[in-house]
Amino acid sequence: KTLIVRADMTKIRFATYNVCAEHCPKLRAWSYRVSRVTAVIKSKNPDVVTLQETGGYTRLTSLTSRMKSSGYTRVRGGSSRWIFYRTATMSARDYKGAALYGKTVHVQYGSNGKRQAIPIQLLRQTSTNARVLVVNFHLQALDFTTKDQARLSEFRQVSNSIASFRKTYPTIPVVKAGDFNSLLHGNTRYDSDSARWRVYNQIKSDGYKDARTSARSTSNASASSLNKMSDDRRRFPPSFQLDHIFVQRNAIVTAWGLLTRNVSYGSQYSDHDMIWADVSLRSR
């Protein structure tokens, strides 16, 4: 008989990228940017990547086609927010071939009851059978206290939606990634976005940590994940991060990086830059 011994921890590379397929008129056309956006993702070969603002059907189709050619499968999403995984390393099915947990939560925001999608998918690392629940966030933007209160409400609605899963499968790690429109630091009088702190505080109290601040090594950690136009009058603080990869406290983050391009706004591939992290998670 053969005895198979699996390691307690396994490494998975995560990435998140707001690609701004539709709402960046001062950037080049999406037909020009889509292949370059895909190349940026491929350059780091993440096992899992959460994408935001992928656009409508036509833009999503062009992106999905190029991602497929690069070895990625689109699995769960809605409202221009989608989760992709690398086919060579991950799967959305268990060893019996049955579909695993996957859903898109529609959270309410604003007094008029609008809804937006938050995709959630359980993935499996094919080499180790390790599983991870991935949540792709894109909380609403803009400053002011009311906006941040709405972001916190959205975040809590998603947390409530996966509470039963967490209770049933307490050993399966959870990774929350995306564009949170929330800062890493407390507010200062120099920061016009100073209201964006409630979600970050809630995540910390829930037992999660930011991959950037806990990584053993970092790349471009002092850069901002948001590309701003030259006429943007906001005073962005150092390391202005709206995009995050949050992991549970027992996870080990061996590396974190931001892929930044030192070019003018009009030559950027998106109004955000992609961030990535190598995370060691429990594999049992």
Side-chain angles (χ1 to χ4, degrees), residues 38 41 72 99 109 121 138 143 145 178 202 207 215:
T38 307
I41 297 170
Y72 287 85
Y109 68 98
Q121 180 67 54
H138 188 192
D143 307 344
T145 299
Q202 182 66 53

Side-chain angles (χ1 to χ4, degrees), residues 182-185 212-213 220-226 236-244 256 258:
S182 302
L183 296 175
L184 276 169
H185 53 76
R212 172 178 167 270
T213 59
N220 293 321
S222 61
S224 170
S225 68
L226 181 66
F236 295 112
S239 306
F240 186 88
Q241 299 289 332
L242 298 182
D243 308 276
H244 307 280
W256 179 97
L258 184 150

Side-chain angles (χ1 to χ4, degrees), residues 68-84:
K68 184 177 180 180
S69 298
S70 297
Y72 287 85
T73 297
R74 193 184 80 202
V75 61
R76 180 62 53 185
S79 300
S80 75
R81 304 160 180 91
W82 291 87
I83 298 172
F84 287 77

Side-chain angles (χ1 to χ4, degrees), residues 93-278:
R93 294 180 176 273
D94 67 8
Y95 67 95
K96 295 180 180 178
L100 288 175
Y101 180 94
K103 65 186 297 186
T104 297
V105 176
H106 288 87
V107 297
Q108 278 196 327
Y109 68 98
S111 58
N112 54 3
K114 288 185 177 180
R115 303 202 309 166
Q116 62 183 20
I118 305 292
I120 304 170
Q121 180 67 54
L122 184 63
L123 297 171
R124 179 178 71 92
Q125 188 182 52
T126 52
S127 61
T128 64
N129 205 37
R131 291 175 293 175
V132 58
L133 189 72
V134 179
V135 188
N136 180 7
F137 283 87
H138 188 192
L139 304 181
Q140 63 174 295
L142 303 180
D143 307 344
F144 315 122
T145 299
T146 55
K147 295 293 184 181
D148 203 56
Q149 289 171 339
R151 282 191 285 272
L152 179 60
S153 173
E154 293 173 22
F155 178 81
R156 285 174 172 169
Q157 289 174 60
V158 177
S159 297
N160 291 338
S161 72
I162 64 174
S164 60
F165 176 90
R166 296 287 314 279
K167 186 176 181 179
T168 306
Y169 303 102
T171 62
I172 294 179
V174 178
V175 172
K176 300 181 177 183
D179 180 358
F180 290 81
N181 278 303
S182 302
L183 296 175
L184 276 169
H185 53 76
N187 53 320
T188 71
R189 66 187 180 91
Y190 299 106
D191 178 14
S192 68
D193 294 84
S194 59
R196 304 174 190 247
W197 59 272
R198 289 176 176 79
V199 171
Y200 186 67
N201 281 1
Q202 182 66 53
I203 288 173
K204 289 193 293 184
S205 67
D206 288 347
Y208 291 81
K209 59 185 180 182
D210 194 286
R212 172 178 167 270
T213 59
S214 58
R216 292 176 176 176
S217 66
T218 60
S219 174
N220 293 321
S222 61
S224 170
S225 68
L226 181 66
N227 294 312
K228 63 176 182 176
M229 294 176 283
S230 58
D231 59 351
D232 197 324
R233 296 173 182 268
R234 290 182 293 181
R235 296 180 178 180
F236 295 112
S239 306
F240 186 88
Q241 299 289 332
L242 298 182
D243 308 276
H244 307 280
I245 298 172
F246 292 109
V247 299
Q248 290 165 292
R249 289 199 183 113
N250 60 1
I252 299 172
V253 184
T254 55
W256 179 97
L258 184 150
L259 298 184
T260 183
R261 301 178 67 243
N262 186 23
V263 296
S264 65
Y265 180 85
S267 298
Q268 298 288 353
Y269 299 151
S270 174
D271 62 341
H272 289 245
D273 286 324
M274 189 182 87
I275 64 171
W276 59 273
D278 288 337

Side-chain angles (χ1 to χ4, degrees), residues 11 27 57 63 85 185 200 252:
K11 186 176 76 171
L27 295 179
Y57 176 79
L63 175 64
Y85 66 86
H185 53 76
Y200 186 67
I252 299 172

